[in-house]
């Protein structure tokens, strides 16, 4: 047809029969492999850590190295000063205490802190009158789910929030951790030293870890002082001369003195929270001082709730097998082959406001060849392109898919459509 230019067709989409075949043969994966949170899993989903699990290495280093220095340099002098069995007992307690602290660290960091499973769909409004109203969601779009809901806790009215990410009403004392990207039951805080959220299922072990670390610091600090005292008595010298004879004792003395203020203060603060049945999040945000705390049942009951109550089982089976949804994967991009899950994860989603990642080299070559063929056809046209552009611009028909992909690659090259067109015109007339 004269005066009309058609773009070459894009590769066809997968047929319905192929799509159904892909759905039927969908891979079975475990929950931890398709987990939407930011957690890190080890041993096939048996251990779950936070995204900052590497910080545990620093924590273990700060525990092990001082104990090794104490055992190798300080305790040997104590073994010689005391009776033989008593000296060995001092070394054994220090080593055993260090392993116990690290064991508590892994119990705190390597378990589900109380993650509430996400809902696949938003909940239905409970009231018919509410269902006719609309609210603005976190992404700017309308939402039929109210942002708040009131519940009664021990006779006190408590307002709970709706989580747009997990699509559920958070239970009382629950909060969404922005680091782990999960709703955590009885959320206390996200601890960077253990690389995990502290919640209902690991708060007990977290407190035991902090308090045990405090005791270990006091233990090393005390016997470093004893070692320096023995040196001062044996050599009849002052403290400075004793530090010169045993510099490791002085280093450990300063180190443990500084650390004990940190972990000791943290232990005292959490002891106060336990006695008043608060979380760190509630203490900093709500300030129950002068207000009614609906969770406070007295110091004894609060203490019993934290240390002697049964730890609830995890609401997530991370090793359970689930079927992968390939329906979305097969229709994400106009290619000749089935997309891999990694490509689908980077696909563009207008509703979520995300950014599409760079497509693969093969997709780029396909689109680039189509654009090149279109350029060749354009250059083979009449020489009066500039003069007749206004009369023929309505006949230039480009498919929407090609137009969208062309705009995307133009933006990736750093040019707008106008700049791209002006450059093509300059080359044409030159």
């Amino acid at each position: 047809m004269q005066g009309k230019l058609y773009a070459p067709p894009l590769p066809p989409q997968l047929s319905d029969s192929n799509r159904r075949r892909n759905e039927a043969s969908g891979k079975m994966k475990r929950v931890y492999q398709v987990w939407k949170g930011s957690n890190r899993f080890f041993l096939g989903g048996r251990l779950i850590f936070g995204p900052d699990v590497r910080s545990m290495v620093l924590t273990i280093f700060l525990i092990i190295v001082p104990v090794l220095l104490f055992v190798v340099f300080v305790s040997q002098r104590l073994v010689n000063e005391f009776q033989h069995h008593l000296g060995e007992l001092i070394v054994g307690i220090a080593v055993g205490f260090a392993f116990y602290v690290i064991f508590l660290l892994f119990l705190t960091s390597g378990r589900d802190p109380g993650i509430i499973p996400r809902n696949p769909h938003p909940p239905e409004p409970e009231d018919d009158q509410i269902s006719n109203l609309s609210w603005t969601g976190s992404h700017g779009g309308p939402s039929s789910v109210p942002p708040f809901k009131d519940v009664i806790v021990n006779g006190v009215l408590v307002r709970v929030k709706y989580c747009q990410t997990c699509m559920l009403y958070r239970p009382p004392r629950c909060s969404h951790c922005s680091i782990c990207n999960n709703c955590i039951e009885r959320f206390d805080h996200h601890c960077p030293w253990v690389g995990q959220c502290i919640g209902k299922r690991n708060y007990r072990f977290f407190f035991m870890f902090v308090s045990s670390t405090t005791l270990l610091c006091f233990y090393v600090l005390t016997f470093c002082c004893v070692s320096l005292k023995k040196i001062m008595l044996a050599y009849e010298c002052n403290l400075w001369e004793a530090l010169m004879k045993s510099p490791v004792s002085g280093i450990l003395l300063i180190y443990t003195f500084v650390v004990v203020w940190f972990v000791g203060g943290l232990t005292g603060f959490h002891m106060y929270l336990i006695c008043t049945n608060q979380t760190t999040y509630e203490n900093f945000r709500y300030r129950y001082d002068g207000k009614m705390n609906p969770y406070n049942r007295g110091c004894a009951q609060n203490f019993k709730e934290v240390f002697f109550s049964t730890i609830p089982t995890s609401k997530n089976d991370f090793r359970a097998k689930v079927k992968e949804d390939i329906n979305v994967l097969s229709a994400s991009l106009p290619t000749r082959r089935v997309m891999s899950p990694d490509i689908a994860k980077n696909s563009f989603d207008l509703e979520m406001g995300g950014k599409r990642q760079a497509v693969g080299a093969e997709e780029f070559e396909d689109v680039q060849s189509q654009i090149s063929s279109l350029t060749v056809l354009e250059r083979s046209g009449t020489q009066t392109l500039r003069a007749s552009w206004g009369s023929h611009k309505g006949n230039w028909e480009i498919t929407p898919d090609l137009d969208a992909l062309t705009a995307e690659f133009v933006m990736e090259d750093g040019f707008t459509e106008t700049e791209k067109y002006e450059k093509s015109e300059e080359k044409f007339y030159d």
Side-chain angles (χ1 to χ4, degrees):
M1 184 178 296
Q2 295 295 330
K4 187 175 289 189
L5 181 63
Y6 291 93
L10 288 172
Q13 298 282 347
L14 290 175
S15 62
D16 293 339
S17 59
N18 290 336
R19 188 178 292 109
R20 286 193 296 268
R21 191 180 301 113
N22 288 334
E23 292 176 1
S25 60
K27 292 182 179 179
M28 297 295 293
K29 289 191 174 182
R30 299 191 183 273
V31 171
Y32 77 91
Q33 294 175 324
V34 295
W35 187 251
K36 294 184 179 180
S38 303
N39 301 91
R40 303 285 298 275
F41 294 89
F42 296 92
L43 299 180
R46 293 176 177 86
L47 296 178
I48 173 174
F49 296 89
D52 48 351
V53 62
R54 293 181 180 178
S55 61
M56 280 186 58
V57 178
L58 176 61
T59 304
I60 295 174
F61 176 83
L62 294 176
I63 296 173
I64 291 295
V65 172
V67 173
L68 288 178
L69 293 176
F70 175 78
V71 170
V72 174
F73 296 99
V74 179
S75 62
Q76 295 301 321
R77 185 179 298 275
L78 296 176
V79 170
N80 297 329
E81 293 292 338
F82 292 97
Q83 297 294 332
H84 181 67
H85 296 290
L86 182 60
E88 290 184 350
L89 182 62
I90 294 174
V91 177
I93 291 176
V95 174
F97 218 149
F99 278 105
Y100 173 69
V101 169
I102 294 187
F103 175 71
L104 290 175
L105 173 62
F106 276 96
L107 278 181
T108 304
S109 182
R111 66 189 294 124
D112 177 7
I115 300 174
I116 299 179
R118 304 187 182 198
N119 284 337
H121 305 288
E124 295 294 334
E126 298 178 356
D127 191 357
D128 294 337
Q129 297 178 353
I130 293 179
S131 61
N132 295 327
L133 302 177
S134 63
W135 289 264
T136 301
S138 60
H139 302 290
S143 174
S144 61
V145 181
F148 301 101
K149 186 171 67 172
D150 294 331
V151 296
I152 303 297
V153 178
N154 296 328
V156 179
L157 186 67
V158 176
R159 172 165 288 187
V160 296
K161 290 183 179 181
Y162 176 75
C163 181
Q164 297 284 349
T165 303
C166 301
M167 292 186 289
L168 52 83
Y169 281 103
R170 302 169 189 166
R173 316 194 83 177
C174 171
S175 183
H176 190 91
C177 177
S178 59
I179 300 177
C180 293
N181 197 23
N182 296 310
C183 278
I184 307 297
E185 194 173 6
R186 200 186 183 277
F187 177 76
D188 190 87
H189 70 288
H190 183 95
C191 181
W193 296 101
V194 303
Q196 181 65 284
C197 283
I198 307 302
K200 188 173 184 177
R201 299 191 68 250
N202 64 347
Y203 180 79
R204 177 187 305 176
F205 302 111
F206 170 77
F207 180 81
M208 294 172 64
F209 164 71
V210 174
S211 58
S212 299
T213 305
T214 304
L215 294 178
L216 178 61
C217 287
F218 273 120
Y219 184 86
V220 175
L221 176 64
T222 301
F223 280 100
C224 283
C225 292
V226 171
S227 176
L228 292 175
K229 183 66 175 178
K230 290 290 183 181
I231 294 175
M232 293 171 63
L233 293 177
Y235 294 94
E236 296 182 353
C237 60
N238 56 23
L239 179 61
W240 180 254
E241 293 176 347
L243 290 174
M244 292 296 101
K245 295 181 179 296
S246 180
V248 176
S249 297
I251 295 174
L252 290 178
L253 185 66
I254 297 174
Y255 174 79
T256 53
F257 180 78
V258 173
V259 173
V260 79
W261 278 100
F262 172 71
V263 292
L266 198 60
T267 301
F269 173 68
H270 280 278
M271 182 65 73
Y272 161 74
L273 294 179
I274 291 172
C275 293
T276 57
N277 205 332
Q278 298 183 60
T279 64
T280 304
Y281 181 80
E282 292 169 349
N283 180 264
F284 281 94
R285 178 156 185 168
Y286 299 115
R287 293 290 182 182
Y288 285 128
D289 297 337
K291 299 180 182 179
M292 174 62 71
N293 183 357
Y295 312 106
N296 190 356
R297 301 186 297 171
C299 184
Q301 290 296 324
N302 296 336
F303 193 84
K304 180 180 178 181
E305 178 183 336
V306 172
F307 293 103
F308 298 102
S309 62
T310 303
I311 297 177
T313 58
S314 175
K315 297 181 180 179
N316 303 277
D317 185 3
F318 300 109
R319 290 185 50 79
K321 291 185 177 181
V322 293
K323 196 169 186 179
E324 204 176 9
D325 186 10
I326 306 186
N327 188 27
V328 178
L329 306 181
S330 60
S332 297
L333 284 177
T335 57
R336 291 187 179 92
R337 59 189 179 279
V338 179
M339 294 177 54
S340 66
D342 293 333
I343 297 178
K345 188 181 296 183
N346 297 330
S347 62
F348 186 60
D349 189 356
L350 286 175
E351 295 181 358
M352 296 300 294
K355 292 183 179 180
R356 180 174 179 172
Q357 303 294 328
V359 296
E362 297 182 3
E363 287 89 356
F364 179 81
E365 292 177 359
D366 292 340
V367 178
Q368 195 174 33
S369 62
Q370 296 170 25
I371 297 174
S372 300
S373 62
L374 181 60
T375 306
V376 172
L377 290 175
E378 178 184 350
R379 291 183 177 179
S380 64
T382 176
Q383 292 290 336
T384 60
L385 175 62
R386 180 186 295 268
S388 61
W389 172 256
S391 60
H392 290 285
K393 65 180 180 179
N395 296 330
W396 297 82
E397 295 183 6
I398 302 177
T399 59
D401 293 335
L402 182 60
D403 186 39
L405 290 173
T406 305
E408 176 184 346
F409 288 110
V410 168
M411 291 177 66
E412 289 181 358
D413 290 337
F415 297 100
T416 62
E417 291 183 350
T418 304
E419 294 172 338
K420 198 74 173 180
Y421 172 68
E422 290 177 353
K423 288 181 177 294
S424 63
E425 279 191 325
E426 292 175 359
K427 292 181 180 179
F428 179 80
Y429 287 102
D430 289 339

